[in-house]
Each structure stands twice: as structure tokens, then as C-alpha cells.
Amino acid sequence: NLFYEPKAGDVVVFKKDSYDPEKALVKRVIATEGQEVNIDFSKGVVYVDGVPIEEDYINELTTNKLDFIGPKEVPEGCVFLLGDNRNASTDSRKSEIGMVDERLIIGKVYLVIFPLEQFGVIS
């Protein structure tokens, strides 16, 4: 994570003790500090700063609310993260994870090695 600054669209690995101190999670950066996130769960659309984001990487539209009540502004030094498998993901919509401090990010994911059928470069 040294000298790494997260950007929207990056896939990152992080740990959050309030969720599970033994488990590292892999999620996608949706918004960074100062940006506003909102989700229309009836349409399954995620908005950043009032603009729907293009998400060709997700498995299905975002319809699982978890604990999210928006809109929410991302605080300084934090990111808002969502999993690509949206409706089966534990991510920033969940109160135990919420906004993630950038200092908790271990690093950026560049390549999937396992499972073998998903081997390849992350886009």
C-alpha cells in the first residue's frame, strides 16, 4: 500500500477488525473521499455524485440494501467499497464495514490466480 492512492474502479484487498480481524476482503472502490454515493435499490443502480456509474463487471444489479441508507458522503481518507457479486457481498453497505480508511488497504489486486477458471488480469 506504500504510495498507493485508491481510485474508483480499483479492486483492493483490505482488513477491517470490526468485521473480522482474521479475514482479508477483496472489493472494488466505488467512491473516494468527498464523493457522494447513493443506490437506487428498486432499479439496482449505483450513483456517485448523482451520476449512475457504468458497472460492466458486476454479476447482477444492486438490489440488496443490507444496512445502507443514502446518500452518503465519503469522509476524508476513506473509500466506499462494493463487491462485484453485489447481492451476496459484505461490503460498505454493511455497518460493520462502512466507509473504509485507506490505511486499512493492504494493496491493489492486479491478477486472479485462483480459482483457475477465473485466472486473469483484473479490469
Side-chain angles (χ1 to χ4, degrees):
N1 186 9
L2 194 60
F3 307 116
Y4 169 69
E5 187 172 324
K7 298 184 304 295
D10 288 353
V11 177
V12 297
V13 177
F14 71 100
K15 289 182 84 171
K16 187 115 184 210
D17 288 347
S18 60
Y19 176 67
D20 185 342
E22 302 298 316
K23 189 174 186 178
L25 299 170
V26 178
K27 305 296 173 192
R28 190 174 298 269
V29 177
I30 299 301
T32 58
E33 67 178 59
Q35 293 187 301
E36 182 184 83
V37 178
N38 205 0
I39 304 172
D40 182 335
F41 294 100
S42 63
K43 294 180 182 177
V45 177
V46 178
Y47 296 86
V48 175
D49 294 332
V51 178
I53 60 174
E54 181 66 37
E55 298 189 288
D56 56 355
Y57 44 79
I58 61 173
N59 295 335
E60 57 193 353
L61 297 176
T62 309
T63 58
N64 190 349
K65 187 173 186 170
L66 297 175
D67 303 322
F68 184 85
I69 299 172
K72 290 188 182 240
E73 184 173 327
V74 181
E76 184 177 341
C78 293
V79 292
F80 184 88
L81 305 171
L82 292 175
D84 289 356
N85 189 10
R86 271 314 141 72
N87 297 314
S89 179
T90 301
D91 49 39
S92 288
R93 292 171 293 166
K94 190 93 172 132
S95 59
E96 290 92 350
I97 294 180
M99 301 295 176
V100 175
D101 190 311
E102 291 177 7
R103 295 173 293 186
L104 299 178
I105 295 174
I106 298 165
K108 180 179 175 183
V109 175
Y110 291 95
L111 182 70
V112 173
I113 297 173
F114 189 79
L116 290 175
E117 60 271 4
Q118 293 180 12
F119 182 87
V121 176
I122 296 291
S123 57

